[in-house]
């Protein structure tokens, strides 16, 4: 499979090229040149397979020969550490609503499902090439923890993660800072999440530094992450009767990576009835689906912090499809966004988007209310991100024949205060993290200065 850029100017690359580059050199995102198809018989044959085997069949057509040969054992290793034997168990909540639990990985959020795969794929490609990378990233909590869990102990990379000092939860910080492997380096920055992101961007824009340190990223625009997520849409749908039955998905959304993976599954032939884009108060995508205008506003902190995002990077991949894969058209929209702080798409493109996607929003009071209702009605405890999806499923007004799968993106114990407010009890951490609060922490406090952070990265990186 070849990969092309959403901005149309970069040369096509193979799977490994897209994996190692992350962003395309023209500033676009890589997408497959064509959509591989899973025919009805192929889908039917997936029912009942262990998750790693099912994922292998979904992922293989996106990869090259070398990657495909190693894929089966790689997926087995990636999912061996999950706390549930089904990896992504599907739980029925009521007559037409299911919960797809994506939080049984090492850091209790759905990001583990893809990052456990991405870390291993990067390591295999780098080892084969005899290369090393220095991964740098900024986190508001979940991504950094999942990236660290995925890359700890790997000989092919050092990982430097910046988090805003005092502004991530205790559980989130400890998940990062209690990892003892020598290739993991945590920075508590004296600044905000935006400051962390700005510093990471500045390091990538400093070309001599970037090349000397061999900087790399594991953020959500990496194609391999999207691809790995498409597999659980397929797993849930075939468990509920696809290809003979259409299924809808409700997806708590921030960066549009997860719900775009649902779109990928749809393009591969999965009969997806609807993709519900569930947002919190930071509702840029819900507003787009209502009006056709994409206009970032300021970020408002909410009880679902992993969705407190106003620039949904992966949305560019959908824009590319809505514009008939015209890279120049996407480039023009992105230029307009940079210049005017907004863009709008035409009525026909909005109609196309609405044929599959619908947006909803939920404020903090609504999240608490939804967590409480689900708990009282079913005994299940959900987290505030998942609550946004459940609300979307209930608000969608879909036909009774269409089962709705709500993606449970985080374990409730990751957000204990909000959950306790709704249910009256604080959810316990799973056994493998029960002693998290007593494990020794290791991190370096740095001022919000590029020079200081670059010096730290230089000292941490072994790639020279
Ligand atoms: C990252 C995250 C999301 C948002 O996913 P996107 O792919 O950015 O849309 C939702 N819920 C949780 C718990 C997350 O960690």
């Amino acid at each position: 499979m070849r990969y092309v850029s959403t901005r149309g100017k970069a040369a096509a690359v193979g799977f490994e090229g897209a994996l190692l580059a992350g962003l395309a050199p023209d500033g676009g995102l890589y997408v497959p040149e064509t959509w591989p198809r899973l025919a009805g018989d192929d889908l039917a044959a997936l029912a009942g397979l262990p998750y790693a085997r099912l994922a292998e069949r979904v992922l293989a057509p996106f990869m090259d020969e070398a990657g495909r040969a190693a894929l089966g054992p790689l997926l087995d290793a990636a999912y061996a550490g999950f706390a549930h034997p089904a990896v992504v168990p599907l739980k029925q909540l009521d007559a037409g609503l299911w919960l797809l639990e994506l939080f049984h990985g090492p850091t209790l959020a759905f990001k583990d499902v893809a990052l456990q795969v991405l870390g291993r794929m990067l390591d295999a490609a780098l080892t084969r090439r005899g290369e090393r990378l220095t991964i740098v990233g900024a986190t508001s909590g979940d991504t950094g923890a999942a990236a660290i869990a995925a890359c700890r102990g790997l000989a092919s990379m050092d990982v430097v993660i910046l988090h805003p000092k005092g502004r991530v939860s205790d559980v989130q910080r400890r998940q990062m800072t209690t990892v003892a492997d020598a290739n993991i380096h945590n920075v508590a920055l004296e600044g905000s999440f935006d400051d962390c992101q700005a510093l990471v961007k500045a390091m990538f824009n400093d070309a001599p530094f970037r090349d000397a340190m061999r900087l790399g990223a594991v953020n959500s625009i990496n194609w391999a992450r999207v691809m790995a997520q498409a597999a659980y849409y397929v797993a849930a749908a075939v468990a509920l009767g696809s290809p003979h039955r259409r299924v809808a998905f409700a997806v708590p959304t921030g960066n549009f990576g997860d719900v775009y993976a649902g779109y990928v599954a749809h393009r591969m032939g999965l009969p997806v009835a609807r993709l519900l884009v569930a947002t919190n108060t930071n509702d840029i995508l819900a507003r787009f689906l209502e009006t056709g205008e994409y206009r970032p506003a300021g970020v408002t902190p909410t009880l679902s912090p992993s969705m407190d995002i106003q620039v949904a990077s992966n949305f560019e991949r959908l824009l590319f499809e809505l514009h008939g894969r015209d890279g120049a058209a996407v480039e023009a929209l992105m230029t307009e966004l940079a210049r005017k702080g907004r863009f709008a798409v035409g009525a026909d493109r909005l109609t196309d988007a609405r044929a599959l996607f619908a947006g909803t929003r939920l404020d903090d009071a609504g999240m608490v209310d939804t967590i409480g209702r689900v708990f009282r009605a079913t005994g299940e405890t959900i987290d505030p991100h998942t609550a946004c999806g459940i609300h979307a499923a209930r608000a969608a007004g879909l036909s009774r024949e269409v089962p709705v799968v709500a993606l449970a993106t985080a374990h409730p114990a990751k957000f204990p205060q909000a959950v306790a407010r709704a249910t009256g009890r604080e959810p316990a951490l799973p056994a493998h993290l029960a002693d998290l609060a007593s494990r020794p922490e290791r991190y370096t406090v740095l001022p919000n200065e590029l020079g200081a952070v670059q010096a730290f990265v230089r000292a941490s990186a072994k790639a020279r």
Side-chain angles (χ1 to χ4, degrees):
M1 177 66 73
R2 312 279 301 163
Y3 288 82
V4 296
S5 164
T6 51
R7 306 226 178 148
K9 285 197 194 136
V13 295
F15 174 76
E16 203 166 285
L19 170 74
L20 291 169
L23 205 65
D26 61 359
L29 279 64
Y30 285 116
V31 290
E33 199 161 44
T34 57
W35 293 111
R37 294 286 294 178
L38 289 168
D41 289 350
D42 300 330
L43 287 171
L46 298 176
L49 286 183
Y51 185 70
R53 293 290 75 73
L54 181 146
E56 190 178 349
R57 298 220 196 151
V58 175
L59 271 51
F62 291 108
M63 300 182 63
D64 51 33
E65 209 60 42
R68 223 176 277 156
L71 183 59
L74 186 148
L75 291 168
D76 283 333
Y79 296 130
F82 277 55
H84 196 292
V87 184
V88 290
L90 191 61
K91 235 180 221 173
Q92 188 159 13
L93 278 192
D94 70 23
L97 181 62
W98 278 258
L99 206 56
L100 182 62
E101 292 186 349
L102 302 173
F103 54 69
H104 293 284
T107 71
L108 311 182
F110 87 97
K111 291 184 172 73
D112 290 325
V113 181
L115 277 167
Q116 286 290 322
V117 173
L118 176 63
R120 285 171 172 81
M121 284 184 172
L122 281 175
D123 186 49
L126 290 168
T127 304
R128 196 159 51 235
R129 293 168 172 232
E131 294 175 10
R132 287 190 104 251
L133 280 185
T134 307
I135 304 286
V136 295
T139 187
S140 56
D142 285 348
T143 308
I148 287 171
C151 300
R152 63 184 296 178
L154 298 179
S156 61
M157 61 187 88
D158 278 285
V159 180
V160 180
I161 299 290
L162 278 58
H163 71 262
K165 181 170 177 271
R167 302 194 205 185
V168 300
S169 79
D170 278 4
V171 171
Q172 287 176 324
R173 187 191 70 249
R174 288 180 165 279
Q175 281 185 324
M176 297 190 280
T177 59
T178 60
V179 174
D181 300 75
N183 72 325
I184 302 299
H185 316 275
N186 278 288
V187 173
L189 191 87
E190 289 172 328
S192 66
F193 169 60
D194 289 339
D195 295 330
C196 295
Q197 252 188 329
L199 286 171
V200 169
K201 214 170 180 181
M203 285 191 271
F204 273 96
N205 286 338
D206 179 345
F209 181 78
R210 179 188 68 212
D211 296 342
M213 293 297 112
R214 303 262 5 234
L215 293 191
V218 291
N219 51 20
S220 81
I221 49 106
N222 195 299
W223 169 258
R225 265 180 84 171
V226 171
M227 163 186 97
Q229 293 174 87
Y232 52 69
Y233 286 87
V234 176
V238 298
L240 294 175
S242 286
H244 312 295
R245 203 178 184 201
R246 298 198 311 152
V247 177
F249 292 90
V251 189
T253 296
N255 227 335
F256 204 74
D258 202 1
V259 72
Y260 173 75
Y263 175 82
V264 169
H266 167 70
R267 292 302 300 260
M268 292 181 80
L270 194 73
V272 176
R274 210 113 185 87
L275 290 170
L276 304 171
V277 180
T279 71
N280 61 24
T281 309
N282 300 292
D283 61 350
I284 181 167
L285 291 166
R287 282 186 281 118
F288 171 82
L289 288 164
E290 281 155 17
T291 64
E293 185 188 49
Y294 184 87
R295 183 194 287 271
V299 173
T300 309
T302 73
L303 294 176
S304 45
S306 299
M307 292 156 56
D308 292 346
I309 290 175
Q310 280 286 323
V311 185
S313 342
N314 274 289
F315 189 57
E316 182 167 335
R317 288 188 161 116
L318 181 67
L319 285 173
F320 184 63
E321 303 295 337
L322 291 176
H323 289 80
R325 301 202 134 207
D326 176 355
V330 173
E331 164 111 69
L333 291 180
M334 292 301 145
T335 304
E336 189 180 344
L337 180 65
R339 284 213 191 109
K340 298 187 188 152
R342 66 169 290 281
F343 66 76
V345 302
D348 44 347
R349 315 224 190 262
L350 182 59
T351 304
D352 285 351
R354 281 185 182 157
L356 187 64
F357 295 92
T360 59
R361 70 179 64 73
L362 191 65
D363 62 14
D364 281 359
M367 287 176 227
V368 172
D369 182 62
T370 303
I371 295 168
R373 277 167 194 258
V374 168
F375 182 69
R376 288 188 298 275
T378 69
E380 287 296 328
T381 308
I382 58 169
D383 99 290
H385 303 79
T386 306
C388 295
I390 295 281
H391 167 75
R394 300 225 191 277
L398 291 166
S399 124
R400 279 166 172 253
E401 282 87 73
V402 177
V404 185
V405 176
L407 273 50
T409 51
H411 191 290
K414 248 189 143 162
F415 303 95
Q417 284 86 3
V419 172
R421 214 200 287 176
T423 65
R425 31 173 127 152
E426 214 167 275
L429 282 168
H432 72 279
L433 289 171
D435 67 339
L436 189 66
S438 62
R439 292 181 199 166
E441 292 189 71
R442 193 169 57 91
Y443 60 91
T444 304
V445 178
L446 289 180
N448 180 17
E449 286 163 20
L450 182 59
V453 176
Q454 285 185 317
F456 179 84
V457 172
R458 221 174 266 123
S460 305
K462 296 188 192 81
R464 259 169 262 227

